[in-house]
Short mmCIF file of all heavy atoms in Angstrom, two decimals:
data_model
loop_
_atom_site.label_atom_id
_atom_site.label_comp_id
_atom_site.label_asym_id
_atom_site.label_seq_id
_atom_site.Cartn_x
_atom_site.Cartn_y
_atom_site.Cartn_z
N PRO A 1004 107.25 75.07 101.27
CA PRO A 1004 107.79 76.26 101.94
C PRO A 1004 106.99 77.53 101.64
O PRO A 1004 106.97 78.44 102.45
CB PRO A 1004 109.21 76.36 101.36
CG PRO A 1004 109.55 74.98 100.93
CD PRO A 1004 108.26 74.40 100.45
N PHE A 1005 106.35 77.60 100.48
CA PHE A 1005 105.60 78.80 100.14
C PHE A 1005 104.50 79.03 101.16
O PHE A 1005 104.29 80.12 101.64
CB PHE A 1005 104.99 78.68 98.74
CG PHE A 1005 106.00 78.47 97.65
CD1 PHE A 1005 105.63 77.83 96.48
CD2 PHE A 1005 107.31 78.90 97.79
CE1 PHE A 1005 106.56 77.62 95.47
CE2 PHE A 1005 108.23 78.71 96.79
CZ PHE A 1005 107.85 78.06 95.63
N SER A 1006 103.77 77.96 101.49
CA SER A 1006 102.67 78.09 102.43
C SER A 1006 103.16 78.48 103.81
O SER A 1006 102.55 79.27 104.50
CB SER A 1006 101.90 76.76 102.51
OG SER A 1006 101.34 76.45 101.25
N ASN A 1007 104.32 77.93 104.22
CA ASN A 1007 104.86 78.26 105.53
C ASN A 1007 105.26 79.72 105.61
O ASN A 1007 105.00 80.41 106.58
CB ASN A 1007 106.08 77.37 105.83
CG ASN A 1007 105.68 75.91 106.02
OD1 ASN A 1007 104.51 75.61 106.30
ND2 ASN A 1007 106.65 75.02 105.85
N LYS A 1008 105.91 80.21 104.54
CA LYS A 1008 106.37 81.58 104.55
C LYS A 1008 105.21 82.56 104.52
O LYS A 1008 105.28 83.66 105.05
CB LYS A 1008 107.28 81.83 103.33
CG LYS A 1008 107.97 83.19 103.37
CD LYS A 1008 108.98 83.32 102.26
CE LYS A 1008 109.69 84.66 102.34
NZ LYS A 1008 110.70 84.83 101.31
N ALA A 1009 104.10 82.14 103.90
CA ALA A 1009 102.97 83.04 103.75
C ALA A 1009 102.12 83.14 105.01
O ALA A 1009 101.32 84.04 105.15
CB ALA A 1009 102.09 82.58 102.58
N SER A 1010 102.30 82.19 105.96
CA SER A 1010 101.42 82.14 107.13
C SER A 1010 101.90 83.11 108.22
O SER A 1010 102.22 82.70 109.33
CB SER A 1010 101.36 80.71 107.66
OG SER A 1010 102.65 80.25 107.98
N LYS A 1011 101.95 84.38 107.90
CA LYS A 1011 102.35 85.41 108.85
C LYS A 1011 101.11 86.10 109.40
O LYS A 1011 100.08 86.18 108.75
CB LYS A 1011 103.24 86.46 108.17
CG LYS A 1011 104.58 85.94 107.67
CD LYS A 1011 105.33 87.06 106.96
CE LYS A 1011 106.67 86.59 106.42
NZ LYS A 1011 107.37 87.68 105.69
N TYR A 1013 99.75 89.87 111.15
CA TYR A 1013 100.12 91.28 111.06
C TYR A 1013 99.35 92.09 112.08
O TYR A 1013 98.20 91.78 112.41
CB TYR A 1013 99.84 91.83 109.66
CG TYR A 1013 100.78 91.28 108.60
CD1 TYR A 1013 100.52 90.06 107.99
CD2 TYR A 1013 101.92 91.98 108.22
CE1 TYR A 1013 101.38 89.56 107.03
CE2 TYR A 1013 102.78 91.49 107.26
CZ TYR A 1013 102.51 90.28 106.67
OH TYR A 1013 103.36 89.78 105.72
N LYS A 1039 111.65 95.92 104.21
CA LYS A 1039 111.20 95.13 103.06
C LYS A 1039 109.81 94.58 103.28
O LYS A 1039 108.96 94.61 102.38
CB LYS A 1039 112.19 93.98 102.80
CG LYS A 1039 113.50 94.40 102.18
CD LYS A 1039 114.48 93.25 102.10
CE LYS A 1039 113.96 92.11 101.26
NZ LYS A 1039 114.91 90.98 101.19
N SER A 1040 109.56 94.10 104.49
CA SER A 1040 108.26 93.52 104.82
C SER A 1040 107.15 94.58 104.74
O SER A 1040 106.09 94.34 104.16
CB SER A 1040 108.30 92.90 106.21
OG SER A 1040 107.01 92.45 106.61
N ILE A 1042 107.23 97.59 103.17
CA ILE A 1042 107.07 98.08 101.80
C ILE A 1042 106.30 97.08 100.96
O ILE A 1042 105.39 97.44 100.20
CB ILE A 1042 108.45 98.38 101.18
CG1 ILE A 1042 109.10 99.57 101.86
CG2 ILE A 1042 108.32 98.63 99.67
CD1 ILE A 1042 110.55 99.80 101.46
N SER A 1043 106.64 95.80 101.13
CA SER A 1043 105.96 94.75 100.38
C SER A 1043 104.48 94.72 100.71
O SER A 1043 103.62 94.63 99.82
CB SER A 1043 106.60 93.39 100.70
OG SER A 1043 105.86 92.34 100.12
N ARG A 1044 104.17 94.81 101.99
CA ARG A 1044 102.77 94.78 102.43
C ARG A 1044 102.01 96.00 101.89
O ARG A 1044 100.89 95.88 101.39
CB ARG A 1044 102.73 94.75 103.96
CG ARG A 1044 101.35 94.64 104.57
CD ARG A 1044 100.82 93.25 104.54
NE ARG A 1044 99.61 93.14 105.35
CZ ARG A 1044 98.89 92.05 105.48
NH1 ARG A 1044 99.24 90.95 104.83
NH2 ARG A 1044 97.80 92.02 106.23
N GLY A 1045 102.64 97.18 102.00
CA GLY A 1045 102.01 98.39 101.51
C GLY A 1045 101.78 98.35 100.00
O GLY A 1045 100.72 98.74 99.51
N LEU A 1046 102.79 97.85 99.26
CA LEU A 1046 102.64 97.72 97.82
C LEU A 1046 101.51 96.76 97.46
O LEU A 1046 100.76 97.00 96.50
CB LEU A 1046 103.94 97.21 97.20
CG LEU A 1046 105.06 98.23 96.98
CD1 LEU A 1046 106.33 97.53 96.52
CD2 LEU A 1046 104.64 99.28 95.96
N SER A 1047 101.38 95.69 98.23
CA SER A 1047 100.32 94.71 97.96
C SER A 1047 98.94 95.36 98.05
O SER A 1047 98.09 95.15 97.18
CB SER A 1047 100.40 93.54 98.95
OG SER A 1047 101.53 92.75 98.69
N PHE A 1048 98.73 96.15 99.09
CA PHE A 1048 97.45 96.84 99.23
C PHE A 1048 97.27 97.86 98.09
O PHE A 1048 96.16 98.01 97.56
CB PHE A 1048 97.34 97.52 100.58
CG PHE A 1048 97.11 96.56 101.72
CD1 PHE A 1048 98.00 96.47 102.77
CD2 PHE A 1048 95.99 95.75 101.72
CE1 PHE A 1048 97.78 95.59 103.81
CE2 PHE A 1048 95.77 94.86 102.76
CZ PHE A 1048 96.66 94.77 103.81
N ILE A 1050 98.52 97.68 95.07
CA ILE A 1050 98.26 96.94 93.84
C ILE A 1050 96.80 96.52 93.78
O ILE A 1050 96.14 96.63 92.73
CB ILE A 1050 99.18 95.70 93.75
CG1 ILE A 1050 100.64 96.13 93.54
CG2 ILE A 1050 98.74 94.78 92.62
CD1 ILE A 1050 101.64 95.01 93.73
N ILE A 1051 96.27 96.05 94.90
CA ILE A 1051 94.87 95.61 94.93
C ILE A 1051 93.94 96.79 94.67
O ILE A 1051 92.98 96.68 93.89
CB ILE A 1051 94.55 94.93 96.28
CG1 ILE A 1051 95.29 93.59 96.36
CG2 ILE A 1051 93.05 94.71 96.44
CD1 ILE A 1051 95.18 92.89 97.71
N SER A 1089 96.17 81.36 88.15
CA SER A 1089 96.93 81.85 89.30
C SER A 1089 96.09 82.06 90.56
O SER A 1089 96.49 81.66 91.65
CB SER A 1089 97.70 83.12 88.95
OG SER A 1089 98.82 82.81 88.16
N TYR A 1092 95.38 78.68 91.95
CA TYR A 1092 96.61 78.15 92.56
C TYR A 1092 96.86 78.78 93.93
O TYR A 1092 97.15 78.09 94.91
CB TYR A 1092 97.79 78.43 91.62
CG TYR A 1092 99.16 78.18 92.20
CD1 TYR A 1092 99.69 76.89 92.25
CD2 TYR A 1092 99.93 79.24 92.67
CE1 TYR A 1092 100.96 76.67 92.77
CE2 TYR A 1092 101.21 79.02 93.19
CZ TYR A 1092 101.72 77.73 93.23
OH TYR A 1092 102.97 77.52 93.75
N ASN A 1093 96.75 80.10 94.01
CA ASN A 1093 96.99 80.79 95.28
C ASN A 1093 95.99 80.37 96.35
O ASN A 1093 96.35 80.21 97.52
CB ASN A 1093 96.91 82.31 95.05
CG ASN A 1093 98.20 82.88 94.51
OD1 ASN A 1093 99.22 82.91 95.18
ND2 ASN A 1093 98.17 83.33 93.26
N MET A 1096 96.90 76.94 97.52
CA MET A 1096 98.14 76.95 98.29
C MET A 1096 97.98 77.71 99.62
O MET A 1096 98.93 77.81 100.39
CB MET A 1096 99.25 77.62 97.46
CG MET A 1096 99.73 76.81 96.28
SD MET A 1096 100.48 75.24 96.75
CE MET A 1096 101.92 75.82 97.61
N HIS A 1098 97.76 80.84 100.11
CA HIS A 1098 98.49 82.10 100.18
C HIS A 1098 97.54 83.19 100.67
O HIS A 1098 96.34 83.16 100.36
CB HIS A 1098 99.04 82.48 98.81
CG HIS A 1098 100.19 81.63 98.36
ND1 HIS A 1098 100.68 81.66 97.07
CD2 HIS A 1098 100.96 80.73 99.03
CE1 HIS A 1098 101.69 80.82 96.96
NE2 HIS A 1098 101.88 80.24 98.13
N PRO A 1099 98.06 84.17 101.40
CA PRO A 1099 97.19 85.27 101.88
C PRO A 1099 96.57 86.02 100.71
O PRO A 1099 97.21 86.22 99.68
CB PRO A 1099 98.16 86.17 102.65
CG PRO A 1099 99.36 85.34 102.95
CD PRO A 1099 99.46 84.34 101.84
N PHE A 1100 95.33 86.45 100.88
CA PHE A 1100 94.61 87.12 99.80
C PHE A 1100 95.35 88.37 99.32
O PHE A 1100 95.32 88.69 98.13
CB PHE A 1100 93.19 87.50 100.25
CG PHE A 1100 92.37 88.16 99.18
CD1 PHE A 1100 91.82 87.40 98.15
CD2 PHE A 1100 92.16 89.53 99.19
CE1 PHE A 1100 91.07 88.01 97.14
CE2 PHE A 1100 91.41 90.14 98.19
CZ PHE A 1100 90.86 89.38 97.17
N PHE A 1101 96.04 89.07 100.23
CA PHE A 1101 96.70 90.32 99.83
C PHE A 1101 97.84 90.06 98.84
O PHE A 1101 98.31 91.00 98.19
CB PHE A 1101 97.20 91.10 101.04
CG PHE A 1101 98.51 90.63 101.61
CD1 PHE A 1101 99.71 91.12 101.14
CD2 PHE A 1101 98.55 89.69 102.64
CE1 PHE A 1101 100.92 90.68 101.67
CE2 PHE A 1101 99.75 89.25 103.16
CZ PHE A 1101 100.94 89.75 102.68
N THR A 1102 98.29 88.81 98.68
CA THR A 1102 99.36 88.51 97.73
C THR A 1102 98.84 88.21 96.32
O THR A 1102 99.63 88.07 95.39
CB THR A 1102 100.22 87.32 98.20
OG1 THR A 1102 99.42 86.13 98.23
CG2 THR A 1102 100.81 87.57 99.57
N TYR A 1103 97.52 88.08 96.19
CA TYR A 1103 96.98 87.80 94.85
C TYR A 1103 95.60 88.41 94.60
O TYR A 1103 94.99 88.16 93.55
CB TYR A 1103 96.90 86.28 94.62
CG TYR A 1103 95.86 85.56 95.46
CD1 TYR A 1103 94.56 85.35 94.99
CD2 TYR A 1103 96.18 85.09 96.74
CE1 TYR A 1103 93.62 84.69 95.76
CE2 TYR A 1103 95.23 84.43 97.51
CZ TYR A 1103 93.96 84.23 97.01
OH TYR A 1103 93.02 83.58 97.78
N GLY A 1104 95.12 89.24 95.51
CA GLY A 1104 93.77 89.78 95.41
C GLY A 1104 93.49 90.50 94.11
O GLY A 1104 92.38 90.43 93.57
N GLU A 1105 94.52 91.18 93.58
CA GLU A 1105 94.30 91.93 92.33
C GLU A 1105 94.00 91.00 91.17
O GLU A 1105 93.33 91.38 90.20
CB GLU A 1105 95.51 92.81 92.02
CG GLU A 1105 96.69 92.14 91.38
CD GLU A 1105 97.52 91.32 92.36
OE1 GLU A 1105 97.26 91.39 93.57
OE2 GLU A 1105 98.44 90.61 91.90
N GLN A 1106 94.49 89.75 91.24
CA GLN A 1106 94.23 88.81 90.15
C GLN A 1106 92.74 88.49 90.06
O GLN A 1106 92.18 88.36 88.96
CB GLN A 1106 95.04 87.53 90.35
CG GLN A 1106 96.53 87.75 90.27
CD GLN A 1106 97.33 86.52 90.64
OE1 GLN A 1106 96.76 85.46 90.93
NE2 GLN A 1106 98.65 86.63 90.65
N PRO A 1157 100.44 78.82 87.43
CA PRO A 1157 100.92 80.16 87.08
C PRO A 1157 101.59 80.21 85.72
O PRO A 1157 101.47 81.21 84.99
CB PRO A 1157 101.91 80.49 88.21
CG PRO A 1157 101.52 79.59 89.33
CD PRO A 1157 101.03 78.34 88.69
N LEU A 1194 103.61 98.47 85.66
CA LEU A 1194 104.07 98.88 86.99
C LEU A 1194 103.59 97.92 88.07
O LEU A 1194 104.33 97.56 88.98
CB LEU A 1194 103.57 100.31 87.29
CG LEU A 1194 104.14 101.42 86.41
CD1 LEU A 1194 103.51 102.77 86.78
CD2 LEU A 1194 105.66 101.50 86.55
N GLY A 1195 102.32 97.51 87.95
CA GLY A 1195 101.77 96.58 88.93
C GLY A 1195 102.47 95.24 88.90
O GLY A 1195 102.71 94.62 89.94
N GLY A 1196 102.85 94.79 87.69
CA GLY A 1196 103.55 93.51 87.58
C GLY A 1196 104.93 93.55 88.23
O GLY A 1196 105.33 92.61 88.91
N VAL A 1197 105.66 94.65 88.03
CA VAL A 1197 106.98 94.80 88.66
C VAL A 1197 106.85 94.82 90.18
O VAL A 1197 107.60 94.15 90.89
CB VAL A 1197 107.67 96.09 88.16
CG1 VAL A 1197 108.94 96.36 88.95
CG2 VAL A 1197 108.01 95.97 86.67
N ALA A 1198 105.87 95.60 90.67
CA ALA A 1198 105.66 95.68 92.12
C ALA A 1198 105.26 94.33 92.69
O ALA A 1198 105.72 93.93 93.76
CB ALA A 1198 104.59 96.73 92.43
N ARG A 1199 104.41 93.60 91.95
CA ARG A 1199 103.95 92.30 92.45
C ARG A 1199 105.07 91.27 92.46
O ARG A 1199 105.10 90.38 93.33
CB ARG A 1199 102.77 91.83 91.60
CG ARG A 1199 102.16 90.51 92.09
CD ARG A 1199 101.86 90.54 93.56
NE ARG A 1199 100.56 91.08 93.91
CZ ARG A 1199 100.20 91.39 95.15
NH1 ARG A 1199 101.07 91.28 96.14
NH2 ARG A 1199 99.00 91.85 95.41
N MET A 1200 106.04 91.38 91.55
CA MET A 1200 107.19 90.47 91.59
C MET A 1200 107.94 90.64 92.91
O MET A 1200 108.33 89.66 93.56
CB MET A 1200 108.13 90.73 90.41
CG MET A 1200 107.69 90.09 89.11
SD MET A 1200 108.96 90.21 87.83
CE MET A 1200 108.73 91.90 87.29
N PHE A 1201 108.13 91.91 93.31
CA PHE A 1201 108.82 92.18 94.57
C PHE A 1201 108.04 91.65 95.76
O PHE A 1201 108.59 90.98 96.64
CB PHE A 1201 109.04 93.69 94.73
CG PHE A 1201 109.53 94.10 96.08
CD1 PHE A 1201 110.86 93.92 96.44
CD2 PHE A 1201 108.67 94.65 97.03
CE1 PHE A 1201 111.32 94.29 97.70
CE2 PHE A 1201 109.11 95.02 98.28
CZ PHE A 1201 110.45 94.83 98.62
N THR A 1202 106.73 91.91 95.78
CA THR A 1202 105.93 91.47 96.94
C THR A 1202 105.82 89.96 96.99
O THR A 1202 105.79 89.37 98.07
CB THR A 1202 104.51 92.09 96.90
OG1 THR A 1202 103.81 91.62 95.76
CG2 THR A 1202 104.57 93.61 96.87
N THR A 1203 105.76 89.32 95.83
CA THR A 1203 105.68 87.85 95.80
C THR A 1203 106.93 87.23 96.40
O THR A 1203 106.86 86.32 97.24
CB THR A 1203 105.48 87.35 94.36
OG1 THR A 1203 104.20 87.79 93.89
CG2 THR A 1203 105.54 85.83 94.30
N MET A 1204 108.09 87.71 95.97
CA MET A 1204 109.33 87.14 96.48
C MET A 1204 109.51 87.42 97.96
O MET A 1204 110.06 86.61 98.70
CB MET A 1204 110.52 87.68 95.68
CG MET A 1204 110.54 87.24 94.22
SD MET A 1204 110.31 85.45 94.01
CE MET A 1204 111.76 84.82 94.87
N ASN A 1205 109.02 88.58 98.42
CA ASN A 1205 109.17 88.91 99.83
C ASN A 1205 108.14 88.20 100.71
O ASN A 1205 108.45 87.82 101.84
CB ASN A 1205 109.04 90.42 100.03
CG ASN A 1205 109.43 90.84 101.44
OD1 ASN A 1205 110.59 90.80 101.82
ND2 ASN A 1205 108.44 91.25 102.23
N SER A 1206 106.93 88.00 100.19
CA SER A 1206 105.84 87.46 101.02
C SER A 1206 105.73 85.95 100.96
O SER A 1206 105.47 85.30 101.97
CB SER A 1206 104.50 88.09 100.60
OG SER A 1206 104.53 89.48 100.75
N THR A 1207 105.88 85.36 99.75
CA THR A 1207 105.69 83.91 99.63
C THR A 1207 106.91 83.20 99.05
O THR A 1207 107.05 82.00 99.23
CB THR A 1207 104.48 83.59 98.73
OG1 THR A 1207 104.76 84.00 97.38
CG2 THR A 1207 103.23 84.30 99.22
N GLY A 1208 107.77 83.93 98.34
CA GLY A 1208 108.94 83.31 97.72
C GLY A 1208 108.59 82.36 96.60
O GLY A 1208 109.40 81.51 96.23
N ASP A 1209 107.40 82.49 96.02
CA ASP A 1209 106.92 81.56 95.00
C ASP A 1209 107.49 81.94 93.63
O ASP A 1209 107.03 82.87 92.99
CB ASP A 1209 105.39 81.58 94.97
CG ASP A 1209 104.82 80.38 94.23
OD1 ASP A 1209 105.38 80.03 93.19
OD2 ASP A 1209 103.83 79.80 94.72
N LEU A 1210 108.47 81.18 93.17
CA LEU A 1210 109.14 81.48 91.91
C LEU A 1210 108.23 81.27 90.71
O LEU A 1210 108.38 81.93 89.68
CB LEU A 1210 110.39 80.61 91.75
CG LEU A 1210 111.60 81.00 92.62
CD1 LEU A 1210 112.69 79.95 92.50
CD2 LEU A 1210 112.13 82.37 92.22
N TYR A 1211 107.27 80.34 90.82
CA TYR A 1211 106.35 80.10 89.71
C TYR A 1211 105.51 81.34 89.44
O TYR A 1211 105.31 81.75 88.30
CB TYR A 1211 105.45 78.90 90.01
CG TYR A 1211 106.20 77.62 90.30
CD1 TYR A 1211 105.97 76.89 91.45
CD2 TYR A 1211 107.17 77.14 89.40
CE1 TYR A 1211 106.66 75.72 91.72
CE2 TYR A 1211 107.86 75.97 89.66
CZ TYR A 1211 107.61 75.26 90.83
OH TYR A 1211 108.29 74.11 91.09
N ILE A 1212 105.00 81.94 90.53
CA ILE A 1212 104.18 83.14 90.39
C ILE A 1212 105.03 84.30 89.88
O ILE A 1212 104.63 85.04 88.97
CB ILE A 1212 103.54 83.52 91.75
CG1 ILE A 1212 102.49 82.48 92.16
CG2 ILE A 1212 102.91 84.90 91.68
CD1 ILE A 1212 101.23 82.51 91.34
N ALA A 1213 106.24 84.48 90.45
CA ALA A 1213 107.11 85.59 90.05
C ALA A 1213 107.50 85.49 88.57
O ALA A 1213 107.54 86.49 87.86
CB ALA A 1213 108.36 85.61 90.92
N THR A 1214 107.77 84.27 88.09
CA THR A 1214 108.13 84.06 86.69
C THR A 1214 106.98 84.45 85.77
O THR A 1214 107.17 85.11 84.75
CB THR A 1214 108.54 82.60 86.44
OG1 THR A 1214 109.66 82.27 87.28
CG2 THR A 1214 108.90 82.38 84.98
N SER A 1215 105.76 84.02 86.15
CA SER A 1215 104.60 84.34 85.31
C SER A 1215 104.37 85.85 85.26
O SER A 1215 103.99 86.40 84.23
CB SER A 1215 103.35 83.63 85.85
OG SER A 1215 102.93 84.17 87.09
N GLN A 1216 104.63 86.53 86.38
CA GLN A 1216 104.46 87.99 86.41
C GLN A 1216 105.50 88.68 85.53
O GLN A 1216 105.19 89.65 84.83
CB GLN A 1216 104.55 88.49 87.86
CG GLN A 1216 103.34 88.10 88.69
CD GLN A 1216 103.65 88.05 90.18
OE1 GLN A 1216 104.80 88.13 90.60
NE2 GLN A 1216 102.61 87.90 90.98
N PHE A 1217 106.72 88.18 85.56
CA PHE A 1217 107.80 88.76 84.73
C PHE A 1217 107.45 88.66 83.25
O PHE A 1217 107.60 89.63 82.49
CB PHE A 1217 109.12 88.04 85.02
CG PHE A 1217 110.25 88.48 84.13
CD1 PHE A 1217 110.89 89.69 84.35
CD2 PHE A 1217 110.68 87.69 83.08
CE1 PHE A 1217 111.93 90.11 83.54
CE2 PHE A 1217 111.71 88.09 82.26
CZ PHE A 1217 112.34 89.30 82.49
N VAL A 1220 104.78 91.19 82.34
CA VAL A 1220 105.29 92.56 82.28
C VAL A 1220 105.97 92.83 80.93
O VAL A 1220 105.74 93.87 80.30
CB VAL A 1220 106.28 92.82 83.43
CG1 VAL A 1220 107.07 94.11 83.19
CG2 VAL A 1220 105.53 92.92 84.76
#
Side-chain angles (χ1 to χ4, degrees):
F1005 301 154
S1006 297
N1007 292 340
K1008 188 173 182 179
S1010 57
K1011 295 178 181 178
Y1013 290 84
K1039 286 174 60 180
S1040 174
I1042 292 171
S1043 173
R1044 183 79 169 177
L1046 280 173
S1047 290
F1048 286 121
I1050 291 168
I1051 291 173
S1089 285
Y1092 169 81
N1093 278 292
M1096 290 297 294
H1098 288 169
F1100 182 76
F1101 80 88
T1102 65
Y1103 69 92
E1105 80 283 353
Q1106 295 173 2
L1194 294 177
V1197 171
R1199 183 50 87 192
M1200 279 189 281
F1201 170 77
T1202 64
T1203 294
M1204 294 310 298
N1205 190 70
S1206 300
T1207 67
D1209 196 318
L1210 286 173
Y1211 303 127
I1212 292 288
T1214 300
S1215 69
Q1216 289 156 350
F1217 175 76
V1220 166

